[in-house]
Every structure is written in C-alpha cells, then in structure tokens.
Amino acid sequence: MCGRFVNLMPAEAMARLFSAVPSNDLPEAPRFNICPTNDVAVVVAEGEGRRLRAMRWGFLPPWYKAPGDGPLLINARAETIAEKPAFRAAVRARRCLVPASGFYEWTKGPEAARLPWYIHPADDAPMVMAGIWQDWEAGDQRLSTVAIVTCAAAGGIEALHSRMPVILPPEDWPMWLGEAGKGAALLMRAAPAGSLAWHRVDPKVNSNRADSPELIDPYDT
C-alpha cells in the first residue's frame, strides 16, 4: 500500500514538469510526511491542457453522506479497481497523476516495533504515482478527493511490503490521463527492477505531526 509519502517539488517545478496550469490553492512544499486526509497536488487533464490542483487524499464515493461515512479509501488496488463500485467510474473517466519524491513503508522490528523505510527513485528523479479522483459533495460541503493506485510489489520492495504504488514513467502520463487513447489498464504494473532504492529512516516519521528534512535521511541503527 502507500500510506505516507514525500513531495519536495514546489508548485512552479511541478507546473513546468507536467506542462500544467497551477491552481492557486496548492499545498506548500517541500513536505516530508504527507498523510491521509492531507491536501496533495495532483495533475488532471482539463480541456485541451492540464491542471495542477489540490485534492484531499482519501477518496470519497458519491454515496458517502459525510467524509467519515465509510472506510478511508487512500488506495485502490489495480487488480480490482475496474470492479469495485467505489472506483470503477473514476478509473474509466477520472485518472490523475500524483507527484511525489518518495514514499514510506514499514517492517516489524523487535516487540512489534514499526520500522520505517524511505523508498524513492534510484536516480532521485521525480516520482509520479497513478491516481483516480472524485468530486464529492453533501449539502454545502464539497471536496475533490483522490486515491493512489497500488499493485503487487516487485523489484525487491516485496521484502518490505506486499503492495506498492503504480509508478508511471513520463511516456505513460498521456495515456493515464486519457490524452493518448485507451490502454490505461496496461499501465497498472510494478516499477522495473532497479528503478527504486530504499533505506531505513528515523522512527520519528511514525508520528503524523512530524514534517522535517531529516525524516528522509538514512537512519543509523
């Protein structure tokens, strides 16, 4: 799964990278510990171009009467996304790119201690995760929400966790956004072996209040 991630890119850099028009409500960057229900920057196809906009991380299906009316849907499994009532319309028509610099995963240590790892592109290039989104409203409350698509882990990541986000290389961005015809289902696969690197990081990241540069530094155990 993907339950926390990092985004070091300022809005201007993301707008250039994706050739997208930025909205004026984007979350501040850098961010070293993005948690569920935080606002995140995403890229969507809009008209003849792209928009960089903010969305709440935690997908809300249209039948939820309130944000807490059901499970917090931060991830959508690639294997079942087209079948699940919550996600099947979004994966057909509302796909997005979720910029990141890396993500966290945890293993178990002695006495069930949670040991955090930072996983990032081996070349430290920007990482782009596949997402789906949904505009949700109830009464006068309106939210744009997003879930990150995950697949079975591979390339060594499975030693840390059985799941990982679907990571899209630049050549796949147009198809995922629906700009280059059909075939997005074929993109929901694990990143190639050797494309990611990882290291242990400070357990301070376990707190959702932590957000500082040293969180992604290698942790000397």
Side-chain angles (χ1 to χ4, degrees):
M1 64 179 293
C2 179
R4 305 272 187 92
F5 69 96
V6 173
N7 187 3
L8 307 180
M9 293 178 284
E12 296 82 3
M14 289 188 287
R16 289 195 300 270
L17 179 64
F18 298 105
S19 300
V21 177
S23 297
N24 58 12
D25 62 347
L26 293 168
E28 294 183 3
R31 300 170 72 197
F32 297 91
N33 192 13
I34 299 171
C35 304
T37 74
N38 288 170
D39 282 348
V40 299
V42 307
V43 179
V44 298
E46 187 174 272
E48 298 299 315
R50 295 173 179 174
R51 170 73 65 175
L52 180 66
R53 54 180 295 199
M55 292 190 185
R56 173 192 184 267
W57 184 21
F59 190 96
L60 297 179
W63 58 84
Y64 277 26
K65 296 180 181 178
D69 200 32
L72 183 61
L73 304 176
I74 62 171
N75 295 152
R77 295 174 66 96
E79 298 88 343
T80 58
I81 194 171
E83 306 162 7
K84 295 290 186 181
F87 301 134
R88 60 192 179 199
V91 76
R92 287 196 300 267
R94 293 185 300 279
R95 299 187 297 270
C96 62
L97 309 176
V98 184
S101 300
F103 63 99
Y104 296 106
E105 200 49 79
W106 282 261
T107 56
K108 288 185 179 180
E111 299 181 359
R114 298 180 75 229
L115 307 180
W117 298 75
Y118 180 55
I119 304 164
H120 59 95
D123 60 2
D124 287 324
M127 188 176 82
V128 178
M129 301 181 289
I132 57 171
W133 63 277
Q134 173 75 49
D135 281 336
W136 173 88
E137 61 180 277
D140 59 358
Q141 191 174 14
R142 292 173 175 79
L143 293 170
S144 293
T145 67
V146 61
I148 293 169
V149 182
T150 67
C151 61
I157 301 298
E158 64 270 27
L160 305 179
H161 198 277
S162 61
R163 308 291 297 176
M164 65 184 295
V166 171
I167 300 172
L168 301 171
E171 61 269 23
D172 290 344
W173 298 349
M175 184 170 288
W176 185 255
L177 289 176
E179 300 167 340
K182 298 181 180 180
L186 300 176
L187 307 180
M188 291 188 283
R189 57 185 184 267
S195 62
L196 298 175
W198 52 92
H199 56 262
R200 275 282 312 278
V201 292
D202 197 312
K204 289 178 181 177
V205 77
N206 294 352
S207 169
N208 58 15
R209 295 190 180 96
D211 191 359
S212 56
E214 63 268 19
L215 294 182
I216 62 174
D217 290 341
Y219 182 63
D220 186 3
T221 58

